[in-house]
Amino acid sequence: WNMSAPNLAIFVFFVLLLTSTPSRCFQCARPTPGGRGRFDRNNRCHSVRDVELTLRGFLGIGGGNDNNSKQQSSTNVAPSVIDPVVLINNVPTVAAGQLSTVTLSRYLSSLVASDETLREMEGLILSVAMACKTISTLVNRAGINNLTGLETDVMGTRSGTQTPTGKRKRKEEKVKKNVQGEDVKKLDVLSNGVLKNALRFTGKLGLLASEEEDEALLIESALDSRYVAVFDPLDGSSNIDASICTGTIFGVLEDDTVEMKNEFRRNGGNSNTVSSPDLQTILQPGNQLAAAGYCMYSSSTILVFTLGGSHPVIGFTLDPQLGEFVLTHPNMRVPARGEYYSLNEGNSYLWDDGISRYVDTIKRGEGQSKKPYSARYVGSMVGDVHRTLLYGGIFGNPGDKKHKDGKLRLVYECSPMSFLVEQAGGSSCTSEGGSVLDKVPKDVHERSSCWLGSREDIDELKGFLGEEGENNRRRRRTQEEKVKK
């Protein structure tokens, strides 16, 4: 070789550096042991394997230490893999930090492995998660990228057009409004486009309905799909300029009109607007939802959803370093009773007598709990419901003299959120005392009053929505009839 001592030292240094640098796991970015690359011999992330070994010790399954692991390897028996669902159900015995290695994709893959019918749902949830990551970035950079403020439509002539006198015409800008007549924010438009495109190209949805769209979108390439989706792309967008939390709400319904749509297509129907069979698919009560959830954009980005049935309400937080949603809120349950109420008391002079009396009662500590309630109100449904889901209490958007049916949309907001809360052990009702989930919408943009939260709080509220409130509504209708005459 005839290599000088300095050059030999440098050569040895680089050889040792290359051979000693551990590979890193793609899933958790930690060095993998033994130089085996991203995964261990059982094709699992090494950190996930470490957690599973620890969990087996906690749960008494065996194999909770390296000695047991070596014994299993010596007998050529692959160690059993703990299902994330089993992990979630046994979360009281597990330290919170050990759950952070369960990613959203791993959790959904585990569900599909046990129930193949959820494979399409897996794709939908992952698409929603991808869109929520993008919206989260847009929201976080809204002030920097000049995405705050209202969306405007440019009226008048194009730039450069001149009048006969030679003077240029000035463009006139008009604030854009949605189908409900509300001002549209710039991020409303961007978020709607992001979520709509993320879902339409999954090939698993034949119909999309958005709060920001006048009509539902029919996707002909997936007309015979099993599911349809409804969503509010950016709830609480009026808070964007103040950097207060916002969120995305979504719901998935099963399409039971596939044959009707196929017949519609065979008869020459090729419009991009919705036909009557598809509209009926959207106009289903909330108790027919197959999945529902929300994503909150605040100090952290949290995705909370449920697949209904026996599936729990589960929350994942976006890890900005990994770019992945990781498990942080397993098996979320609403406390039976809370200490907070969340509603806009600025409209209290417009409320029915029963609602006013209920709020006064719990504020004074004269309710069933004998404890005074505190007010917590953000003005973003996602933020208020998320707090209610964690700490209990009651959230409400009642109808009043100005908005008889409330301000929230039944299809896009009330039904998905009520479905989620009831799946977590809570309850919901309308200002008439009926179930939100049993209410059948007559229009995709129909509004509804909505109360949801702790079961005992909702039951107490219903006692105030009885005869007194009904008499008050009857008197109001009588007065309105007199005015019309």
Side-chain angles (χ1 to χ4, degrees), residues 188-323:
D188 284 326
V189 177
L190 291 174
S191 302
N192 182 63
V194 168
L195 194 56
K196 183 172 66 175
N197 289 331
L199 290 174
R200 71 185 297 182
F201 295 119
T202 61
K204 298 175 175 61
L205 292 170
L207 188 66
L208 296 175
S210 169
E211 182 188 352
E212 300 299 330
E213 301 280 348
D214 295 348
E215 296 180 340
L217 175 67
L218 185 65
I219 305 173
E220 294 186 6
S221 60
L223 199 59
D224 56 350
S225 299
R226 179 181 176 186
Y227 297 110
V228 299
V230 296
F231 56 87
D232 179 358
L234 198 62
D235 173 71
S237 56
S238 60
N239 291 328
I240 290 176
D241 295 355
S243 300
I244 300 175
C245 69
T246 55
T248 297
I249 305 173
F250 64 93
V252 180
L253 291 158
E254 287 202 39
D255 186 356
D256 55 358
T257 64
V258 173
E259 291 301 324
M260 299 175 67
K261 289 190 293 185
N262 288 338
E263 183 66 23
F264 170 73
R265 182 168 55 181
R266 285 192 292 268
N267 291 335
N270 57 2
S271 170
N272 284 329
T273 59
V274 70
S275 64
S276 55
D278 302 295
L279 187 60
Q280 295 303 318
T281 302
I282 296 178
L283 301 181
Q284 298 184 56
N287 54 29
Q288 297 299 313
L289 282 164
Y294 63 83
C295 187
M296 183 178 70
Y297 314 112
S298 185
S299 58
S300 58
T301 299
I302 302 177
L303 177 64
V304 179
F305 68 93
T306 178
L307 303 183
S310 60
H311 299 287
V313 175
I314 187 169
F316 293 81
T317 300
L318 180 62
D319 187 331
Q321 293 182 340
L322 302 180

Side-chain angles (χ1 to χ4, degrees), residues 72-205:
Q72 288 181 356
S73 299
S74 62
T75 56
N76 296 323
V77 178
S80 60
V81 178
I82 289 186
D83 192 286
V85 178
V86 177
L87 182 150
I88 291 167
N89 292 335
N90 291 276
V91 71
T93 64
V94 182
Q98 294 171 331
L99 295 175
S100 61
T101 54
V102 179
T103 63
L104 175 62
S105 57
R106 181 179 175 228
Y107 172 72
L108 293 174
S109 297
S110 177
L111 292 180
V112 173
S114 59
D115 186 357
E116 187 64 26
T117 60
L118 294 175
R119 184 166 296 280
E120 290 187 16
M121 185 64 72
E122 175 192 22
L124 293 178
I125 297 298
L126 290 176
S127 296
V128 170
M130 179 185 67
C132 290
K133 292 178 187 178
T134 304
I135 296 174
S136 177
T137 301
L138 292 173
V139 170
N140 290 335
R141 297 185 58 83
I144 299 173
N145 294 340
N146 193 27
L147 298 178
T148 57
L150 299 172
E151 179 75 4
T152 57
D153 286 330
V154 178
M155 311 296 291
T157 59
R158 294 181 179 179
S159 177
T161 304
Q162 296 183 350
T163 62
T165 59
K167 294 182 178 180
R168 293 181 181 274
K169 290 185 177 180
R170 294 184 61 184
K171 294 181 180 180
E172 295 182 2
E173 292 187 349
K174 182 179 180 181
V175 176
K176 188 175 182 179
K177 295 183 180 294
N178 59 19
V179 68
Q180 292 89 16
E182 299 169 336
D183 293 342
V184 176
K185 297 276 189 174
K186 293 179 182 178
L187 273 180
D188 284 326
V189 177
L190 291 174
S191 302
N192 182 63
V194 168
L195 194 56
K196 183 172 66 175
N197 289 331
L199 290 174
R200 71 185 297 182
F201 295 119
T202 61
K204 298 175 175 61
L205 292 170

Side-chain angles (χ1 to χ4, degrees), residues 357-410:
R357 192 161 62 90
Y358 167 74
V359 174
D360 289 339
T361 299
I362 61 175
K363 284 196 300 184
R364 297 174 184 272
E366 299 173 356
Q368 295 177 2
S369 68
K370 303 301 180 183
K371 294 181 179 180
Y373 279 40
S374 299
R376 297 288 189 273
Y377 184 69
V378 177
S380 169
M381 186 182 187
V382 170
D384 288 320
V385 171
H386 183 72
R387 182 188 56 253
T388 303
L389 189 62
L390 292 177
Y391 305 134
I394 189 168
F395 165 84
N397 191 291
D400 52 42
K401 296 176 183 178
K402 187 177 180 181
H403 303 95
K404 299 178 183 179
D405 298 320
K407 297 183 66 176
L408 299 178
R409 284 77 176 176
L410 177 60

Side-chain angles (χ1 to χ4, degrees), residues 54-65:
T54 304
L55 286 175
R56 279 195 287 272
F58 274 120
L59 305 179
I61 300 177
N65 53 55

Side-chain angles (χ1 to χ4, degrees), residues 295-485:
C295 187
M296 183 178 70
Y297 314 112
S298 185
S299 58
S300 58
T301 299
I302 302 177
L303 177 64
V304 179
F305 68 93
T306 178
L307 303 183
S310 60
H311 299 287
V313 175
I314 187 169
F316 293 81
T317 300
L318 180 62
D319 187 331
Q321 293 182 340
L322 302 180
E324 291 285 344
F325 281 101
V326 296
L327 176 63
T328 52
H329 297 75
N331 201 9
M332 301 175 71
R333 303 293 295 175
V334 183
R337 182 177 287 278
E339 298 179 354
Y340 305 104
Y341 68 95
S342 178
L343 64 164
N344 186 0
E345 286 193 272
N347 296 327
S348 59
Y349 69 100
L350 299 172
W351 292 344
D352 285 348
D353 297 340
I355 295 175
S356 297
R357 192 161 62 90
Y358 167 74
V359 174
D360 289 339
T361 299
I362 61 175
K363 284 196 300 184
R364 297 174 184 272
E366 299 173 356
Q368 295 177 2
S369 68
K370 303 301 180 183
K371 294 181 179 180
Y373 279 40
S374 299
R376 297 288 189 273
Y377 184 69
V378 177
S380 169
M381 186 182 187
V382 170
D384 288 320
V385 171
H386 183 72
R387 182 188 56 253
T388 303
L389 189 62
L390 292 177
Y391 305 134
I394 189 168
F395 165 84
N397 191 291
D400 52 42
K401 296 176 183 178
K402 187 177 180 181
H403 303 95
K404 299 178 183 179
D405 298 320
K407 297 183 66 176
L408 299 178
R409 284 77 176 176
L410 177 60
V411 174
Y412 309 112
E413 297 167 315
C414 298
S415 290
M417 285 303 211
S418 298
F419 182 80
L420 185 80
V421 169
E422 294 202 12
Q423 192 70 17
S427 184
S428 65
C429 71
T430 64
S431 292
E432 290 74 29
S435 172
V436 175
L437 297 182
D438 293 337
K439 189 171 183 179
V440 181
K442 300 180 178 63
D443 181 77
V444 291
H445 296 293
E446 178 181 344
R447 299 177 188 264
S448 174
S449 58
C450 180
W451 295 86
L452 52 85
S454 299
R455 185 169 296 277
E456 293 181 8
D457 286 316
I458 295 294
D459 290 342
E460 183 178 0
L461 168 69
K462 290 179 179 179
F464 291 83
L465 300 178
E467 183 177 355
E468 182 181 5
E470 180 60 33
N471 288 337
N472 191 28
R473 285 189 289 273
R474 191 180 297 112
R475 288 194 298 269
R476 187 176 63 196
R477 286 195 294 267
T478 302
Q479 293 174 356
E480 291 174 352
E481 291 176 358
K482 290 181 180 179
V483 171
K484 290 181 180 179
K485 291 181 180 180

